[in-house]
Structures are given as C-alpha cells and as structure tokens.
Amino acid sequence: MEIKVEYNDYKLADYIKGIAQTVLDYFSLELNLKPKLGEKQILINYNSISPIVYWPLKPDVYEIGLKIKGFYPLQIIFQLAHELTHIYIDPRINGPVIEVLCHLMAIKSVLAIGHIYTPTGKIDHEKYVAELKNTAQTKSKTSLSDVELQKIISMIKVLENKGSKYSRSINNLIAFRLMEILNETQVLTFIQNLSQAVIPLSANDKCDLATNANVKLNTSHPLIQSLLYQTIKY
C-alpha cells in the first residue's frame, strides 16, 4: 500500500514515511496479514488531535492520525501499528477486545522493529516496552502474574459495561499477558478471525463507518468465546 505523510517538514515527513513503511512491511510481509477492506493508499496526519483512523472512511484511502509531541520513532511505531491493526481487523467496528489486540500488535511491532530506529543514547525499544509494562501494572494496581484467563474476560466485560474501550493501562496489561499466553500463530488467528464476530449493519457498506456506528463487538459473541477459550491454552 502506498504511504503519504502530511507534515510541514518535508525531510522529517520522508523519515516518518520510512518508519511507516517498515511497520507496514512487518504487518504484510512478515505476518502475512491482509486488510479487511482491501489495500488502499495510507495517508498519515502527524499533527492529529489523537491517534485515530479517521472516518467516515473513504473508498480509496485510509486516513490515520498520529499524536506525538516532537519526534519519537518508537511512539510512531506504537501508534501507527495500533491504528493499522484496526484497519487489518475491520475499521468499521471496535470494542475492548479489538483495542486490546491493537495494543498487543503495537507492542509486538516495537519489539520487532524498534531497534532499527533507536538513536544512540536514546531510550531503546526494550526499555520503552518495559516502561509500558511497569506503567500498566502500576496504574491498574494488578500484577501480570495475577491476570489469568477468567480475569482477562472479566476486565473486558467491565470495560464493555462502562461503555469504554480506552483504558490504556488495562488494555496494555491484558495485551502483555496475552503475549505471554499466546504464540505467534494464535495471535494472528485471533486477528484474522476477529472481524467475523459481527456483521456490519449494511452488507453493501464498504467504507462509511458512520452508518455502522452502532455495531459492537463484545465477549458474549460465540466466536469471541471460542477464540478466547480455545486459542488460549496454558
């Protein structure tokens, strides 16, 4: 997929584009994932008000916003991988389970390719991820060792009942625990099958998220139950 970066510093925009291409290659070449709605141009806005896949979706381009103060390659990888995961699963739907997997793929991406963009003397990719892990445990007041399968499901249900998808500490905590529990094949199987858990409101709607605003993905769906219970094996 072609990548374009909107940023007022052209030299920096090219560098950001290079990072984005590396992340995209990791998804498509190494992980062999395919976007749910097909391949399109990716337009990156580096000065977004928040990390986001913009909507309503367009038929010929995925628009991604990144929110980073300054220039930090590891944050670029993390945020971009998170938003790309939305695109690869299905950008028309969302929910706590999807948010957790987006965090998981963001962490995996930093660990896999972050070393390429770690400047000498700056925080390295492993330390960056370790700090994310420590912060997740501290803010959630929960140790990773205490997060078993049933607790993962109960945490997700709490987020669903609150109507929230964006508890960063909880999402990261579950993501880190799933990384300990799932192997690479299981993670990819989860991502590849997750979007099948719901049917968009309109079978003909290929691009307009606004018409699918009420579509929800939750742990009560049989496929989610199957993925959680059958995929996760200790």
Side-chain angles (χ1 to χ4, degrees), residues 33 36 88-89 93 101 185-198 217 221 223-224 227 231:
L33 292 172
K36 175 69 176 182
Y88 276 78
I89 291 175
I93 61 177
L101 284 179
T185 300
Q186 291 171 325
V187 170
L188 298 182
T189 298
F190 212 148
I191 291 173
Q192 290 163 349
N193 290 282
L194 190 56
S195 61
Q196 299 175 29
V198 296
L217 182 73
H221 191 283
L223 179 58
I224 297 300
L227 286 169
T231 301

mmCIF file of all heavy atoms in Angstrom, residues 33 36 88-89 93 101 185-198 217 221 223-224 227 231:
data_model
loop_
_atom_site.group_PDB
_atom_site.id
_atom_site.type_symbol
_atom_site.label_atom_id
_atom_site.label_comp_id
_atom_site.label_asym_id
_atom_site.label_seq_id
_atom_site.Cartn_x
_atom_site.Cartn_y
_atom_site.Cartn_z
ATOM 1 N N LEU A 33 -0.573 -10.541 6.946
ATOM 2 C CA LEU A 33 -1.934 -10.095 7.181
ATOM 3 C C LEU A 33 -2.454 -9.314 5.983
ATOM 4 O O LEU A 33 -1.688 -8.686 5.254
ATOM 5 C CB LEU A 33 -1.999 -9.214 8.435
ATOM 6 C CG LEU A 33 -1.737 -9.913 9.773
ATOM 7 C CD1 LEU A 33 -1.630 -8.893 10.886
ATOM 8 C CD2 LEU A 33 -2.830 -10.926 10.068
ATOM 9 N N LYS A 36 -8.893 -5.905 6.035
ATOM 10 C CA LYS A 36 -10.254 -6.416 5.882
ATOM 11 C C LYS A 36 -10.971 -5.811 4.676
ATOM 12 O O LYS A 36 -11.680 -6.499 3.947
ATOM 13 C CB LYS A 36 -11.040 -6.123 7.158
ATOM 14 C CG LYS A 36 -12.514 -6.504 7.108
ATOM 15 C CD LYS A 36 -12.706 -7.997 7.078
ATOM 16 C CE LYS A 36 -14.186 -8.355 7.137
ATOM 17 N NZ LYS A 36 -14.395 -9.816 7.152
ATOM 18 N N TYR A 88 -6.573 -3.627 9.665
ATOM 19 C CA TYR A 88 -6.431 -5.026 9.264
ATOM 20 C C TYR A 88 -7.561 -5.893 9.828
ATOM 21 O O TYR A 88 -7.964 -6.868 9.187
ATOM 22 C CB TYR A 88 -5.069 -5.569 9.698
ATOM 23 C CG TYR A 88 -3.975 -5.251 8.707
ATOM 24 C CD1 TYR A 88 -3.390 -3.992 8.654
ATOM 25 C CD2 TYR A 88 -3.538 -6.205 7.795
ATOM 26 C CE1 TYR A 88 -2.402 -3.695 7.740
ATOM 27 C CE2 TYR A 88 -2.539 -5.917 6.874
ATOM 28 C CZ TYR A 88 -1.976 -4.665 6.843
ATOM 29 O OH TYR A 88 -0.995 -4.373 5.925
ATOM 30 N N ILE A 89 -8.088 -5.557 11.010
ATOM 31 C CA ILE A 89 -9.221 -6.308 11.563
ATOM 32 C C ILE A 89 -10.500 -5.911 10.839
ATOM 33 O O ILE A 89 -11.165 -6.727 10.224
ATOM 34 C CB ILE A 89 -9.356 -6.073 13.082
ATOM 35 C CG1 ILE A 89 -8.184 -6.717 13.826
ATOM 36 C CG2 ILE A 89 -10.681 -6.648 13.604
ATOM 37 C CD1 ILE A 89 -8.163 -6.433 15.314
ATOM 38 N N ILE A 93 -15.613 -1.460 12.871
ATOM 39 C CA ILE A 93 -16.065 -1.960 14.160
ATOM 40 C C ILE A 93 -14.991 -1.745 15.216
ATOM 41 O O ILE A 93 -13.816 -1.574 14.903
ATOM 42 C CB ILE A 93 -16.427 -3.468 14.095
ATOM 43 C CG1 ILE A 93 -15.188 -4.293 13.685
ATOM 44 C CG2 ILE A 93 -17.584 -3.703 13.144
ATOM 45 C CD1 ILE A 93 -15.426 -5.795 13.667
ATOM 46 N N LEU A 101 -6.161 -6.054 21.279
ATOM 47 C CA LEU A 101 -5.319 -6.615 20.221
ATOM 48 C C LEU A 101 -4.533 -5.528 19.489
ATOM 49 O O LEU A 101 -3.412 -5.774 19.041
ATOM 50 C CB LEU A 101 -6.171 -7.408 19.230
ATOM 51 C CG LEU A 101 -6.618 -8.786 19.721
ATOM 52 C CD1 LEU A 101 -7.479 -9.470 18.682
ATOM 53 C CD2 LEU A 101 -5.419 -9.671 20.052
ATOM 54 N N THR A 185 1.279 -17.757 16.043
ATOM 55 C CA THR A 185 0.190 -18.281 15.211
ATOM 56 C C THR A 185 -1.165 -17.996 15.834
ATOM 57 O O THR A 185 -2.121 -17.623 15.141
ATOM 58 C CB THR A 185 0.357 -19.801 15.004
ATOM 59 O OG1 THR A 185 1.605 -20.046 14.358
ATOM 60 C CG2 THR A 185 -0.780 -20.353 14.156
ATOM 61 N N GLN A 186 -1.271 -18.144 17.152
ATOM 62 C CA GLN A 186 -2.538 -17.899 17.839
ATOM 63 C C GLN A 186 -2.937 -16.432 17.773
ATOM 64 O O GLN A 186 -4.114 -16.106 17.593
ATOM 65 C CB GLN A 186 -2.432 -18.373 19.290
ATOM 66 C CG GLN A 186 -2.350 -19.880 19.427
ATOM 67 C CD GLN A 186 -2.018 -20.323 20.841
ATOM 68 O OE1 GLN A 186 -1.264 -19.661 21.551
ATOM 69 N NE2 GLN A 186 -2.578 -21.448 21.251
ATOM 70 N N VAL A 187 -1.962 -15.535 17.908
ATOM 71 C CA VAL A 187 -2.245 -14.104 17.808
ATOM 72 C C VAL A 187 -2.793 -13.772 16.423
ATOM 73 O O VAL A 187 -3.808 -13.069 16.287
ATOM 74 C CB VAL A 187 -0.977 -13.266 18.082
ATOM 75 C CG1 VAL A 187 -1.223 -11.796 17.723
ATOM 76 C CG2 VAL A 187 -0.553 -13.384 19.535
ATOM 77 N N LEU A 188 -2.149 -14.280 15.383
ATOM 78 C CA LEU A 188 -2.578 -13.990 14.017
ATOM 79 C C LEU A 188 -3.944 -14.598 13.732
ATOM 80 O O LEU A 188 -4.767 -13.988 13.043
ATOM 81 C CB LEU A 188 -1.540 -14.505 13.017
ATOM 82 C CG LEU A 188 -0.149 -13.869 13.129
ATOM 83 C CD1 LEU A 188 0.776 -14.412 12.052
ATOM 84 C CD2 LEU A 188 -0.235 -12.355 13.026
ATOM 85 N N THR A 189 -4.200 -15.789 14.255
ATOM 86 C CA THR A 189 -5.515 -16.412 14.089
ATOM 87 C C THR A 189 -6.595 -15.560 14.732
ATOM 88 O O THR A 189 -7.683 -15.361 14.162
ATOM 89 C CB THR A 189 -5.524 -17.821 14.722
ATOM 90 O OG1 THR A 189 -4.571 -18.631 14.054
ATOM 91 C CG2 THR A 189 -6.900 -18.460 14.601
ATOM 92 N N PHE A 190 -6.290 -15.038 15.912
ATOM 93 C CA PHE A 190 -7.235 -14.177 16.616
ATOM 94 C C PHE A 190 -7.565 -12.952 15.752
ATOM 95 O O PHE A 190 -8.739 -12.614 15.542
ATOM 96 C CB PHE A 190 -6.619 -13.735 17.941
ATOM 97 C CG PHE A 190 -7.620 -13.530 19.043
ATOM 98 C CD1 PHE A 190 -7.264 -13.775 20.362
ATOM 99 C CD2 PHE A 190 -8.907 -13.112 18.778
ATOM 100 C CE1 PHE A 190 -8.176 -13.590 21.396
ATOM 101 C CE2 PHE A 190 -9.818 -12.923 19.806
ATOM 102 C CZ PHE A 190 -9.452 -13.158 21.112
ATOM 103 N N ILE A 191 -6.539 -12.291 15.249
ATOM 104 C CA ILE A 191 -6.736 -11.075 14.456
ATOM 105 C C ILE A 191 -7.474 -11.381 13.158
ATOM 106 O O ILE A 191 -8.394 -10.655 12.757
ATOM 107 C CB ILE A 191 -5.379 -10.409 14.164
ATOM 108 C CG1 ILE A 191 -4.795 -9.831 15.459
ATOM 109 C CG2 ILE A 191 -5.523 -9.312 13.112
ATOM 110 C CD1 ILE A 191 -3.402 -9.313 15.326
ATOM 111 N N GLN A 192 -7.099 -12.456 12.489
ATOM 112 C CA GLN A 192 -7.700 -12.791 11.203
ATOM 113 C C GLN A 192 -9.174 -13.144 11.326
ATOM 114 O O GLN A 192 -9.950 -12.924 10.395
ATOM 115 C CB GLN A 192 -6.926 -13.942 10.558
ATOM 116 C CG GLN A 192 -5.540 -13.551 10.076
ATOM 117 C CD GLN A 192 -4.630 -14.741 9.826
ATOM 118 O OE1 GLN A 192 -4.953 -15.862 10.202
ATOM 119 N NE2 GLN A 192 -3.499 -14.495 9.193
ATOM 120 N N ASN A 193 -9.581 -13.676 12.462
ATOM 121 C CA ASN A 193 -10.963 -14.129 12.628
ATOM 122 C C ASN A 193 -11.847 -13.168 13.415
ATOM 123 O O ASN A 193 -13.068 -13.304 13.400
ATOM 124 C CB ASN A 193 -10.987 -15.491 13.319
ATOM 125 C CG ASN A 193 -10.472 -16.601 12.435
ATOM 126 O OD1 ASN A 193 -11.157 -17.094 11.553
ATOM 127 N ND2 ASN A 193 -9.229 -16.989 12.662
ATOM 128 N N LEU A 194 -11.241 -12.195 14.064
ATOM 129 C CA LEU A 194 -11.997 -11.350 14.977
ATOM 130 C C LEU A 194 -13.114 -10.583 14.281
ATOM 131 O O LEU A 194 -14.224 -10.458 14.799
ATOM 132 C CB LEU A 194 -11.048 -10.365 15.673
ATOM 133 C CG LEU A 194 -11.618 -9.572 16.835
ATOM 134 C CD1 LEU A 194 -12.183 -10.494 17.906
ATOM 135 C CD2 LEU A 194 -10.546 -8.681 17.437
ATOM 136 N N SER A 195 -12.859 -10.046 13.093
ATOM 137 C CA SER A 195 -13.858 -9.227 12.418
ATOM 138 C C SER A 195 -15.069 -10.035 11.984
ATOM 139 O O SER A 195 -16.100 -9.475 11.615
ATOM 140 C CB SER A 195 -13.243 -8.519 11.209
ATOM 141 O OG SER A 195 -12.756 -9.460 10.278
ATOM 142 N N GLN A 196 -14.983 -11.350 12.023
ATOM 143 C CA GLN A 196 -16.132 -12.185 11.673
ATOM 144 C C GLN A 196 -17.146 -12.255 12.815
ATOM 145 O O GLN A 196 -18.233 -12.812 12.653
ATOM 146 C CB GLN A 196 -15.667 -13.601 11.329
ATOM 147 C CG GLN A 196 -14.730 -13.670 10.142
ATOM 148 C CD GLN A 196 -14.214 -15.081 9.913
ATOM 149 O OE1 GLN A 196 -14.879 -16.053 10.225
ATOM 150 N NE2 GLN A 196 -13.019 -15.175 9.367
ATOM 151 N N ALA A 197 -16.804 -11.695 13.960
ATOM 152 C CA ALA A 197 -17.666 -11.793 15.128
ATOM 153 C C ALA A 197 -18.908 -10.918 15.018
ATOM 154 O O ALA A 197 -19.862 -11.103 15.767
ATOM 155 C CB ALA A 197 -16.894 -11.420 16.388
ATOM 156 N N VAL A 198 -18.908 -9.964 14.114
ATOM 157 C CA VAL A 198 -20.101 -9.147 13.885
ATOM 158 C C VAL A 198 -20.304 -8.981 12.390
ATOM 159 O O VAL A 198 -19.371 -9.100 11.597
ATOM 160 C CB VAL A 198 -19.994 -7.743 14.525
ATOM 161 C CG1 VAL A 198 -19.903 -7.829 16.023
ATOM 162 C CG2 VAL A 198 -18.834 -6.973 13.946
ATOM 163 N N LEU A 217 -18.707 -5.073 19.145
ATOM 164 C CA LEU A 217 -18.039 -6.367 19.265
ATOM 165 C C LEU A 217 -17.844 -6.621 20.749
ATOM 166 O O LEU A 217 -17.301 -5.779 21.455
ATOM 167 C CB LEU A 217 -16.686 -6.331 18.565
ATOM 168 C CG LEU A 217 -15.907 -7.629 18.562
ATOM 169 C CD1 LEU A 217 -16.535 -8.617 17.597
ATOM 170 C CD2 LEU A 217 -14.469 -7.381 18.173
ATOM 171 N N HIS A 221 -20.218 -12.745 22.196
ATOM 172 C CA HIS A 221 -20.406 -13.385 20.894
ATOM 173 C C HIS A 221 -19.743 -14.766 20.896
ATOM 174 O O HIS A 221 -18.626 -14.931 21.398
ATOM 175 C CB HIS A 221 -19.799 -12.518 19.786
ATOM 176 C CG HIS A 221 -20.177 -12.953 18.411
ATOM 177 N ND1 HIS A 221 -19.598 -14.040 17.800
ATOM 178 C CD2 HIS A 221 -21.087 -12.466 17.540
ATOM 179 C CE1 HIS A 221 -20.131 -14.192 16.600
ATOM 180 N NE2 HIS A 221 -21.038 -13.255 16.417
ATOM 181 N N LEU A 223 -18.156 -16.488 18.722
ATOM 182 C CA LEU A 223 -16.825 -16.581 18.132
ATOM 183 C C LEU A 223 -15.767 -16.040 19.091
ATOM 184 O O LEU A 223 -14.682 -16.609 19.210
ATOM 185 C CB LEU A 223 -16.757 -15.825 16.802
ATOM 186 C CG LEU A 223 -15.393 -15.841 16.105
ATOM 187 C CD1 LEU A 223 -14.934 -17.268 15.826
ATOM 188 C CD2 LEU A 223 -15.441 -15.042 14.813
ATOM 189 N N ILE A 224 -16.085 -14.945 19.774
ATOM 190 C CA ILE A 224 -15.139 -14.391 20.746
ATOM 191 C C ILE A 224 -14.907 -15.392 21.872
ATOM 192 O O ILE A 224 -13.774 -15.632 22.299
ATOM 193 C CB ILE A 224 -15.659 -13.059 21.318
ATOM 194 C CG1 ILE A 224 -15.789 -12.018 20.203
ATOM 195 C CG2 ILE A 224 -14.715 -12.549 22.404
ATOM 196 C CD1 ILE A 224 -14.493 -11.718 19.508
ATOM 197 N N LEU A 227 -12.699 -18.081 20.477
ATOM 198 C CA LEU A 227 -11.312 -17.637 20.307
ATOM 199 C C LEU A 227 -10.608 -17.529 21.651
ATOM 200 O O LEU A 227 -9.470 -17.963 21.811
ATOM 201 C CB LEU A 227 -11.281 -16.289 19.588
ATOM 202 C CG LEU A 227 -11.578 -16.315 18.085
ATOM 203 C CD1 LEU A 227 -11.773 -14.903 17.553
ATOM 204 C CD2 LEU A 227 -10.460 -17.005 17.327
ATOM 205 N N THR A 231 -8.303 -20.678 21.874
ATOM 206 C CA THR A 231 -6.992 -20.220 21.417
ATOM 207 C C THR A 231 -6.006 -20.139 22.564
ATOM 208 O O THR A 231 -4.844 -20.474 22.441
ATOM 209 C CB THR A 231 -7.103 -18.831 20.741
ATOM 210 O OG1 THR A 231 -7.998 -18.931 19.636
ATOM 211 C CG2 THR A 231 -5.746 -18.375 20.226
#
